[in-house]
Amino acid sequence: MEFTTKAGSPERIAAGCVAVGVFEQRKLTPAAESLDRAARGHLRDVLKRGDMDGRAGATRVLYDVPHLRCERVLLVGLGRESEFGAKQYRDALRTAVTAVADTGARDAHLCLPELHVAGRDLEWKLRHAAIVAADALYRFEETKSKKSPARKLKSITFATPARSAAADRGLAQGRAIAAGMAVARDLGNLPANICTPAYLAAQARQLAREWRLRASVLGTRDMQRLGMGALLAVAKGSRQPPKLIVLRYDGAGRGVKPVVLVGKGITFDTGGISLKPAAEMDEMKFDMCGAASVLGTLRAVAEMKLACNVVGIVPASENMPGGAATKPGDVVTTMSGQTVEILNTDAEGRLVLCDALSYAERFKPQAVVDIATLTGACVIALGNVATGLFSNRDTLAEELLESGADAWDRAWRLPLWDDYQEQLKSPFADVANIGGRPAGSVTAACFLSRFAEAYEWAHLDIAGTAWVSGKNKGATGRPVPLLATFLIGRAAK
Ligand code: BES
Ligand code: MN
Ligand code: ZN
């Protein structure tokens, strides 16, 4: 889909569809007002008949509106004007794009960015317009033999009050972030028989070629040499060799320390010998969504040409039961030298991450953020709305929360207090890999914190936000918007 901006009023637009908003109680927005005037009151006549009251989510397509050059007018309900904010703006965009794509229009002119959204500027409105539109139009059909017919809709123009560099910048950022989300969604949606650790490595190399990034991939032997006993312990039960993928973007001078993103890349999590129950186990193909978000974010950052350095690290492995698999009670030595008693082989995410976090030290990072579908407990705590956030620095935590709020890809902070470390005590090793039922997400983060003492670090638990279950099952592309927004901020510093 092509996205552009266009300044000026909508009444002379000759597009296949012009979309304008209507607030509750049939109040026309300025763009709708202009169309109505040009059409000599036709819109108001329609509203009077009671077919569109402006309720949020309502749409109405009008054909052959007199004196207008467009083929269709789409009325989009916006709800109450007094309640119109970021969420309502994004919902209205999604509704409009979905409704337009359902018509035969080949191009659309959306007037929604003219609306006032409290606390948000034009750049924000355009950024979100591109992200929401692309997100709404996303389809995953790589694994279907019959593809749905190509969309008639080829381009969307977003109306702006005047020509504006900020609007164009916002749109460009939105395009890049949307493309990064699509990368993350595609990788997440692919089944685990296709998306293996080797496949992820090949995709990283492909991204490197397309976006002038640098990719390198460590194999089993390299991991042995580095002493990554925890990562190797997870991979032992699988026939698929593990990979440690490093993807680098250099957008600032060599003296600028990089931000390191570490993404959990378990391409399938059976639980290992601590086998998971059968129900919904297919969803454990999404256990590499942290990795996918790292690759997607690097693509977005490269497209935006941000003035920062970013290193993406993906420890990729399957977690399988097998004759050689790690057993409960096994003790392994991590790259950091700390020993871990693996009491539950299903707590494998923290095992692959801990060695990746130690590996991150060599990049002398300004900050490290890991992203992981780490705990079912996080889904219980925060549901599918907020990502769990943990950090060893308040400033970094605030910055990430702020980025998530701006990107409408929100996180919520949970504590990382020392008091919880008690639960990880082991009689046989320096630390156990599980901390019991209470505060499962916190003890998982506490485990990771022991390997992240050398730098400013944050951990995002995306177990509830990386994909949706049910009839619309699929990867969401989160938290690419949060991460990209965070890096836009870091690049500006
Ligand atoms: N990948 C899972 C976490 C998960 C489960 C995410 C369900 C989304 C939905 C992780 O590897 C895992 O199995 N965690 C265990 C940890 C436990 C054994 C301490 C969990 O959450 O049950
Ligand atoms: Mn697991
Ligand atoms: Zn897992």
Side-chain angles (χ1 to χ4, degrees):
M1 189 67 50
E2 210 175 292
F3 297 128
T4 47
T5 61
K6 193 172 173 65
S9 55
E11 67 275 3
R12 303 202 37 78
I13 300 288
C17 183
V18 173
V20 294
V22 180
F23 284 112
E24 216 160 289
Q25 307 305 334
R26 304 178 198 160
K27 183 174 181 237
L28 299 183
T29 53
E33 197 70 72
S34 309
L35 288 188
D36 186 56
R37 229 175 298 121
R40 322 253 164 97
H42 184 86
L43 270 60
R44 273 185 210 287
D45 286 347
V46 169
L47 296 185
K48 268 195 214 121
R49 279 181 238 175
D51 290 15
M52 160 59 85
D53 53 9
R55 254 181 306 121
T59 57
R60 203 50 91 188
V61 183
L62 312 179
Y63 301 89
D64 306 315
V65 179
H67 311 295
L68 297 186
R69 298 173 62 197
C70 59
E71 293 169 10
R72 303 165 188 78
V73 170
L74 172 69
L75 302 178
V76 184
L78 304 175
R80 284 177 206 277
E81 190 169 12
S82 60
E83 288 167 13
F84 195 77
K87 179 181 190 308
Q88 290 73 14
Y89 174 71
R90 287 175 48 102
D91 287 350
L93 273 165
R94 189 176 298 275
T95 303
V97 168
T98 309
V100 174
D102 215 31
T103 71
R106 300 165 61 85
D107 56 343
H109 182 86
L110 268 51
C111 297
L112 302 177
E114 70 163 5
L115 300 170
H116 175 71
V117 185
R120 318 284 181 168
D121 56 16
L122 188 61
E123 184 173 334
W124 183 94
K125 288 191 279 187
L126 271 298
R127 189 161 60 237
H128 282 262
I131 292 172
V132 172
D135 194 59
L137 296 170
Y138 174 87
R139 297 195 282 220
F140 181 80
E141 296 186 330
E142 274 179 65
T143 41
K144 299 254 194 183
S145 67
K146 295 180 193 65
K147 320 284 178 199
S148 29
R151 282 214 161 82
K152 295 209 180 59
L153 186 65
K154 302 286 184 231
S155 80
I156 298 178
T157 305
F158 296 106
T160 61
R163 281 218 55 73
S164 137
D168 291 339
R169 186 168 57 238
L171 191 72
Q173 289 173 340
R175 252 190 232 120
I177 293 170
M181 289 174 77
V183 165
R185 295 179 80 175
D186 284 346
L187 289 173
N189 288 333
L190 279 172
N193 61 324
I194 295 174
C195 186
T196 59
Y199 182 90
L200 281 180
Q203 292 307 300
R205 289 207 168 96
Q206 179 67 28
L207 282 173
R209 274 192 293 278
E210 280 173 43
W211 293 97
R212 298 167 131 269
L213 306 165
R214 283 187 285 156
S216 55
V217 179
L218 306 191
T220 306
R221 296 292 276 288
D222 305 298
M223 295 172 198
Q224 283 164 346
R225 232 171 286 133
L226 288 161
M228 296 180 157
L231 172 49
L232 287 165
V234 173
K236 271 176 71 186
S238 170
R239 300 240 177 147
Q240 297 290 339
K243 305 285 176 193
L244 188 98
I245 304 161
V246 180
L247 189 59
R248 306 181 64 160
Y249 167 76
D250 304 297
R254 289 170 52 106
V256 180
K257 290 178 168 178
V259 171
V260 176
L261 304 177
V262 180
K264 172 177 172 182
I266 298 295
T267 57
F268 197 80
D269 181 10
T270 66
I273 296 298
S274 312
L275 194 64
K276 287 182 180 295
E280 279 113 53
M281 207 209 270
D282 65 289
E283 297 193 4
M284 284 300 113
K285 73 172 184 177
F286 295 117
D287 212 17
M288 35 54 70
C289 282
S293 76
V294 170
L295 301 187
T297 299
L298 271 138
R299 187 210 185 279
V301 164
E303 184 173 333
M304 291 188 283
K305 299 194 170 72
L306 293 186
C308 60
N309 296 329
V310 184
V311 181
I313 303 179
V314 168
S317 174
E318 278 186 340
N319 185 25
M320 297 286 283
T326 294
K327 301 163 290 296
D330 286 2
V331 175
V332 299
T333 304
T334 62
M335 184 179 171
S336 74
Q338 297 175 76
T339 60
V340 179
E341 185 184 14
I342 301 176
L343 287 172
N344 189 320
T345 62
D346 198 10
E348 84 298 340
R350 61 198 81 180
L351 296 175
V352 300
L353 288 170
C354 72
D355 282 336
L357 288 170
S358 297
Y359 189 75
E361 284 183 29
R362 69 184 51 207
F363 300 103
K364 305 208 170 8
Q366 54 170 283
V368 177
V369 181
D370 79 66
I371 306 99
T373 48
L374 203 62
T375 63
C378 194
V379 192
I380 303 300
L382 300 173
N384 308 112
V385 178
T387 291
L389 168 72
F390 302 82
S391 181
N392 61 9
R393 294 288 193 295
D394 291 344
T395 46
L396 178 59
E398 288 300 328
E399 201 179 338
L400 287 164
L401 288 172
E402 189 56 44
S403 303
D406 185 88
W408 209 254
D409 180 9
R410 292 166 300 173
W412 193 258
R413 193 175 181 190
L414 293 165
L416 198 64
W417 297 325
D418 268 348
D419 313 51
Y420 293 101
Q421 292 283 0
E422 293 288 315
Q423 288 172 238
L424 294 172
K425 281 197 172 142
S426 159
F428 300 112
D430 300 343
V431 64
N433 81 325
I434 53 168
R437 300 248 306 156
S441 307
V442 180
T443 52
C446 283
F447 179 91
L448 295 177
S449 74
R450 295 168 179 242
F451 302 86
E453 284 177 353
Y455 41 68
E456 295 194 15
W457 161 79
H459 157 60
L460 296 171
D461 193 332
I462 57 167
T465 52
W467 77 90
V468 292
S469 309
K471 75 175 195 323
N472 292 320
K473 190 188 288 180
T476 60
R478 292 178 69 180
V480 171
L482 181 159
L483 295 169
T485 305
F486 168 68
L487 291 166
I488 290 171
R490 283 275 162 146
K493 273 189 186 154

